């Protein structure tokens, strides 16, 4: 059976990705900080799809913990086919209001986490001469967004990271791609005001927001053999916003 590690799997897009891979018979390693949510998901996935699920209650910015998680997962399954770096936060503020600790925190959670998990997982993917990594960026990292200098910086950096790592790992049969979602209905966007939501809606060609499942389907496609000749790419999934 194939295996996948998914960060930020307790809700939103990460949870939808977990269900998509479970439906396709993957054993899973799910990472987040909310133990109750991850336990509920684990029990439901095991019952509904008969797969094995390991959960890790850790902060993705923790380098040492990342190594422990990846080693533990590999010890259990002896292979890592897929890594999805999905965990992320927003901290919308105009630049003049961003403190040093705000900046350091978002860089750690959104960007250092990608370094952490790619570094430790790629060691095993290189060894097994196969694997696929998908990093979740954002359209903010491509076109920018007022109030998101810190968030957009992390999401742009993920694109540069993805393209570089794809070049490093291509010869080992490991593919690395990014997805840049637009406005997706999750807790992250739920907190925005109606005024801001409507201003986004006006700019979306399809005239509706995206669902977590619509991102999960694209993640699954990029990890499947149907995408076997795609690496180093950023796939925009935004209903035609940018
Ligand atoms: P969400 O509903 O807020 O979920 C975020 C996930 O990340 C949760 O599972 C959360 O789990 C986890 N997480 C956050 N900080 C963490 C930390 N320090 N350590 C471990 N896990 C952490 O957000 P979402 O909308 O699904 O977003 C998922 C990804 O898509 C993010 O990278 C986001 O930037 C990106 N994205 C979202 C949108 C959108 O419109 N929603 C658009 C573009 C890109 P815990 O709280 O349990 O730790």
């Amino acid at each position: 059976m194939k295996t996948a590690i998914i960060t930020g799997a307790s809700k939103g897009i990460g949870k939808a990705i977990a269900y998509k891979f479970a439906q396709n018979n993957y054993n899973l390693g799910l990472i987040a900080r909310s133990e109750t949510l991850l336990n509920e998901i684990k029990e439901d996935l095991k019952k509904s799809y008969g797969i094995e699920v390991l959960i890790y209650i850790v902060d993705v910015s923790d380098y040492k913990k990342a190594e422990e998680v990846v080693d533990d997962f590999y010890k259990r399954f002896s292979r890592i086919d897929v890594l999805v770096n999905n965990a992320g936060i927003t901290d919308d503020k105009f630049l003049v209001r961003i403190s040093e600790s705000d900046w350091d925190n978002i860089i750690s959670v959104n960007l250092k986490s990608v370094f952490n998990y790619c570094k430790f997982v790629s060691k095993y993917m290189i060894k097994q001469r196969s694997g696929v990594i998908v990093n979740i960026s954002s359209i903010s990292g491509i076109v920018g967004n007022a109030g998101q200098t810190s968030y957009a910086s992390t999401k742009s950096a993920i694109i540069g990271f993805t393209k570089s790592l794809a070049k490093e790992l291509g010869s080992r049969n490991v593919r690395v791609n990014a997805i840049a979602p637009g406005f997706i209905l999750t807790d992250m966007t739920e907190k925005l005001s109606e005024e801001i939501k409507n201003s986004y809606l006006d700019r979306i060609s399809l005239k509706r927001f995206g669902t977590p499942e619509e991102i999960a389907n694209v993640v699954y496609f990029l990890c499947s053999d149907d995408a076997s000749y795609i690496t180093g790419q950023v796939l925009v999934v935004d209903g035609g916003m940018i």
Side-chain angles (χ1 to χ4, degrees):
M1 250 165 105
K2 286 192 167 183
T3 69
I5 294 177
I6 302 159
T7 73
S10 62
K11 55 186 179 166
I13 294 171
K15 180 178 174 182
I17 296 168
Y19 274 79
K20 182 74 188 176
F21 280 87
Q23 285 154 13
N24 286 280
N25 216 29
Y26 276 69
N27 287 325
L28 299 176
L30 306 181
I31 301 167
R33 292 161 307 170
S34 317
E35 188 166 8
T36 316
L37 292 180
L38 276 191
N39 260 317
E40 281 170 16
I41 293 168
K42 172 184 169 174
E43 291 313 316
D44 188 43
L45 290 177
K46 283 167 68 174
K47 197 168 69 186
S48 307
Y49 304 106
I51 57 160
E52 284 190 60
V53 182
L54 299 183
I55 59 171
Y56 299 98
I57 315 302
V58 295
D59 186 320
V60 284
S61 59
D62 189 323
Y63 179 80
K64 275 210 158 2
K65 281 271 187 306
E67 184 169 29
E68 285 169 24
V69 164
V70 172
D71 286 350
D72 183 76
F73 185 84
Y74 187 82
K75 208 180 282 170
R76 171 66 192 82
F77 295 115
S78 307
R79 59 185 296 123
I80 306 175
D81 297 289
V82 166
L83 166 67
V84 184
N85 280 303
N86 162 80
I89 53 169
T90 47
D91 186 14
D92 294 1
K93 284 176 185 142
F94 288 121
L95 179 64
V96 290
R97 296 200 185 283
I98 298 177
S99 69
E100 185 182 9
S101 67
D102 291 338
W103 177 267
D104 290 344
N105 185 49
I106 198 165
I107 298 285
S108 291
V109 176
N110 288 9
L111 181 59
K112 187 184 172 204
S113 62
V114 174
F115 159 71
N116 289 345
Y117 283 88
C118 283
K119 175 173 168 169
F120 296 122
V121 164
S122 63
K123 181 178 84 177
Y124 291 115
M125 289 183 169
I126 288 168
K127 199 165 100 176
Q128 71 197 14
R129 286 285 193 273
S130 71
V132 190
I133 297 172
V134 174
N135 297 321
I136 305 297
S137 173
S138 165
I139 55 166
S140 292
I142 299 173
V143 295
N145 197 11
Q148 289 197 323
T149 51
S150 59
Y151 179 75
S153 298
T154 65
K155 295 301 183 179
S156 298
I158 285 173
I159 292 174
F161 181 100
T162 299
K163 287 174 177 285
S164 302
L165 189 61
K167 291 187 177 186
E168 284 186 25
L169 299 183
S171 63
R172 316 301 167 94
N173 192 35
V174 176
R175 298 186 294 107
V176 191
N177 291 294
I179 292 177
F183 192 116
I184 309 302
L185 292 166
T186 67
D187 286 359
M188 185 178 273
T189 45
E190 175 60 33
K191 61 190 176 200
L192 298 171
S193 70
E194 284 307 310
E195 192 188 344
I196 291 181
K197 285 184 193 167
N198 286 332
S199 80
Y200 278 114
L201 204 49
D202 277 347
R203 288 181 274 148
I204 299 173
S205 307
L206 293 178
K207 296 298 165 207
R208 64 174 180 83
F209 299 127
T211 64
E213 291 71 25
E214 287 176 308
I215 302 301
N217 289 342
V218 180
V219 173
Y220 185 73
F221 161 69
L222 283 175
C223 295
S224 74
D225 287 344
D226 288 345
S228 55
Y229 206 48
I230 300 179
T231 197
Q233 300 305 304
V234 185
L235 204 38
V236 173
V237 186
D238 71 343
M241 184 162 26
I242 64 164

